Amino acid sequence: MARKIRVLIAKPGLDGHDRGAKVVARALRDAGMEVIYTGLHQSPEQIVQTALQEDVDAIGLSSLSGSHDVLFPRVMELVRKNRMKVLVTAGGIIPEEDVPALRKCGIAAVFGPGTSIEEIVKFHKDRLGRRS
Amino acid sequence: MNYTTLARSIIRGDRKAAARLISVVEDEEEGYGEAMDMIFSASGRAGVLGITGAPGVGKSTLVFELAKGFRKEGKSVGIVAVDPTSPLTGGAILGDRIRMSELSSDPGVFIRSMGSRGGTGGLSLQASATVRILDALGCEEIIVETVGAGQTQVDIMGLADTVVVVTMPGSGDEVQSIKAGLLEIADIYVVNKMDLPGSMSTAADLRAMIDLVEDWKGWKPPVLLASASGARGLEEVAGSIRRHREWFSDPEAHMERRASQARKEIYDIIASGILRAISSAVTDEEMGELVRLVAERKMSPYDAARKVAGSALPGADLYKAL
């Protein structure tokens, strides 16, 4: 049987905009993946606990509120603390100058506005190397 | 990866190991049978509650409220929430956690979302293994939420000690309530969204249906009105669940139900195992060729099935079975 790629799409913090997150979730679903969507207003602790219970291969963090530079590194810290092997990417409104710091803390890719859906799907398929 | 090591970690309470073994079983990777034997020996303590009903009636919200109630009693809770897998792409959006996010950082709660994958009866084929794993992990109460179920999706009956069928006002007339299927399997009925017009008559229709049966053999399903999101009627639902569990806890009296659950599980394991073994006896190319021939009507699907099964089971008289 083919192993299925499982992805958590998460909205950390108080940001209330999830159209983009839902579009990405839908696209990954259409690519044959199982996508867990938790809804808005999640704390980094909730996100990492969810990822752990759901045994996901990847986490997609979406933020449009500017709090990424605090919340995303906190997620990475908890991922490491729990010794999880998980691919973490980010999306939303993230200024260019913040990208290097996010990459440095372990975020594998930052998908800004204008990124094509195909690119996000391909990135996950390539990096996770599983059929789905 | 040695799955028996995972099983041992789970029995010691390792949540990450539990999450991993559930994935192994879901993906039907080879060789987890021995680990599941160990899990089986360490399980059997949890109460298993099934919540089913049509899409949008409020199952997830009810699960969330019931789980909070169990937490107040100091019990650890496992939740298995099944959502539909796309029959076209195999993908799924698993969104039941949205209604439960308050519980996701509670160390006494373990929530697992599952795609229905091959299952057509409202559950994933691997839901019962998942329940066992959470039981062995130490969850005292396990709540299983089915996909939004239609009339014949009654697999939950084979898994739960207590089945709650959730419905809401305006979900059909009297005749709907006497049809066979989902409405026959409830131990408890909940008419949710009780503040909507028509809730009393929906409850009355259900009660009239129940009253048609003369002998309920010790448990007559109650019909309860509730508003899960408004936190109304939930005490009564929890109370009925408790009473049903007390009634059901006498193993002698309920051997019939346990036996039919056991029979179903044995056959499910055989069916998925045999299918796996047989499918792996032909290559993707060979299978593709058979599929093409049947699609072009050059071969009967029965003949194709015999060819595939024949290569895995040489010498079997397949004309009897297929």
Side-chain angles (χ1 to χ4, degrees):
Chain A
M1 293 284 157
R3 294 183 74 184
K4 250 189 228 299
I5 297 175
R6 287 169 65 88
V7 183
L8 171 66
I9 297 292
K11 290 285 307 174
L14 298 177
D15 170 14
H17 304 274
D18 65 349
R19 176 62 54 89
K22 284 175 176 159
V23 169
V24 171
R26 169 74 195 267
L28 296 175
R29 181 203 81 176
D30 288 344
M33 302 178 200
E34 286 185 349
V35 184
I36 293 116
Y37 180 58
T38 61
L40 300 166
H41 309 150
Q42 302 290 300
S43 68
E45 286 75 12
Q46 284 175 314
I47 290 167
V48 173
Q49 273 307 311
T50 296
L52 191 145
Q53 292 168 21
E54 300 286 358
D55 190 39
V56 292
D57 305 287
I59 304 174
L61 299 169
S62 161
S63 173
L64 288 78
S65 68
S67 53
H68 53 269
D69 54 350
V70 174
L71 295 172
F72 292 6
R74 174 74 183 141
V75 169
M76 294 313 298
E77 191 186 319
L78 292 168
V79 162
R80 269 191 292 276
K81 200 175 140 200
N82 286 287
R83 286 181 295 165
M84 294 160 68
K85 267 185 271 166
V86 63
L87 177 73
V88 184
T89 64
I93 304 296
I94 292 166
E96 281 289 324
E97 60 264 35
D98 291 352
V99 172
L102 293 178
R103 293 296 311 274
K104 203 171 158 211
C105 80
I107 302 227
V110 178
F111 300 113
T115 309
S116 77
I117 286 297
E118 291 76 21
E119 186 185 337
I120 297 175
V121 169
K122 186 174 183 303
F123 184 85
H124 283 84
K125 285 197 161 171
D126 289 351
R127 289 293 288 268
L128 296 167
R130 283 184 179 188
R131 290 178 297 144
S132 72
Chain B
M1 169 59 84
N2 184 348
Y3 301 134
T4 53
T5 313
L6 273 185
R8 265 189 286 275
S9 304
I10 292 166
I11 295 163
R12 282 198 305 268
D14 182 339
R15 292 155 66 88
K16 206 163 93 180
R20 191 75 269 285
L21 188 60
I22 293 169
S23 301
V24 166
V25 174
E26 274 200 295
D27 287 332
E28 300 194 55
E29 288 178 27
E30 277 175 17
Y32 59 78
E34 200 186 329
M36 287 310 295
D37 288 339
M38 292 166 62
I39 293 291
F40 177 80
S41 305
S43 68
R45 288 164 300 179
V48 183
L49 173 66
I51 308 287
T52 186
V57 295
K59 291 184 294 299
S60 299
T61 309
L62 184 64
V63 168
F64 171 60
E65 292 297 333
L66 292 171
K68 277 203 300 193
F70 286 136
R71 291 298 294 140
K72 277 198 197 108
E73 294 170 22
K75 291 174 171 166
S76 57
V77 180
I79 297 172
V80 179
V82 188
D83 265 333
T85 292
S86 161
L88 303 178
T89 64
I93 300 271
L94 310 176
D96 288 321
R97 295 186 80 108
I98 295 173
R99 315 255 177 272
M100 309 177 193
S101 67
E102 204 181 296
L103 296 174
S104 58
S105 53
D106 179 342
V109 179
F110 190 107
I111 307 174
R112 181 62 177 234
S113 316
M114 303 180 84
S116 59
R117 301 204 182 177
T120 53
L123 291 176
S124 149
L125 294 172
Q126 311 303 343
S128 59
T130 304
V131 168
R132 287 249 153 76
I133 292 167
L134 295 184
D135 186 342
L137 179 68
C139 294
E140 293 160 285
E141 297 286 347
I142 297 172
I143 310 178
V144 182
E145 178 187 342
T146 73
V147 302
Q151 289 166 325
T152 60
Q153 289 158 321
V154 296
D155 276 0
I156 190 67
M157 197 172 58
L159 183 58
D161 305 329
T162 303
V163 173
V164 177
V165 171
V166 187
T167 177
M168 60 183 264
S171 53
D173 61 10
E174 230 176 303
V175 181
Q176 294 299 335
S177 70
I178 57 172
K179 284 185 183 170
L182 194 63
L183 288 176
E184 286 178 293
I185 64 161
D187 298 305
I188 295 162
Y189 293 93
V190 173
V191 178
N192 194 29
K193 311 193 186 184
M194 62 182 283
D195 41 349
L196 292 181
S199 59
M200 297 300 272
S201 70
T202 299
D205 285 348
L206 287 169
R207 288 194 185 108
M209 172 198 77
I210 290 163
D211 285 339
L212 290 176
V213 178
E214 283 181 5
D215 182 13
W216 279 99
K217 293 180 187 150
W219 179 264
K220 186 176 176 181
V223 177
L224 306 169
L225 291 163
S227 165
S229 63
R232 287 163 70 197
L234 296 168
E235 287 292 322
E236 287 75 8
V237 176
S240 285
I241 291 167
R242 225 169 2 247
R243 276 191 295 282
H244 182 267
R245 179 162 297 167
E246 277 162 26
W247 174 78
F248 192 69
S249 62
D250 177 1
E252 289 298 315
H254 308 101
M255 203 47 211
E256 205 182 322
R257 181 153 167 182
R258 301 244 184 243
S260 83
Q261 292 179 345
R263 181 184 308 274
K264 185 180 177 328
E265 189 169 12
I266 295 167
Y267 277 118
D268 280 352
I269 292 168
I270 295 174
S272 63
I274 299 267
L275 180 62
R276 210 153 55 221
I278 288 183
S279 312
S280 63
V282 291
T283 63
D284 288 352
E285 290 73 35
E286 287 166 339
M287 191 64 201
E289 178 62 13
L290 290 171
V291 167
R292 189 182 61 78
L293 288 170
V294 173
E296 290 174 356
R297 299 189 64 85
K298 288 178 182 154
M299 185 189 275
S300 116
Y302 292 89
D303 199 18
R306 281 188 293 264
K307 281 206 165 56
V308 176
S311 52
L313 305 164
D317 183 0
L318 294 169
Y319 277 92
K320 264 190 194 156
L322 300 171

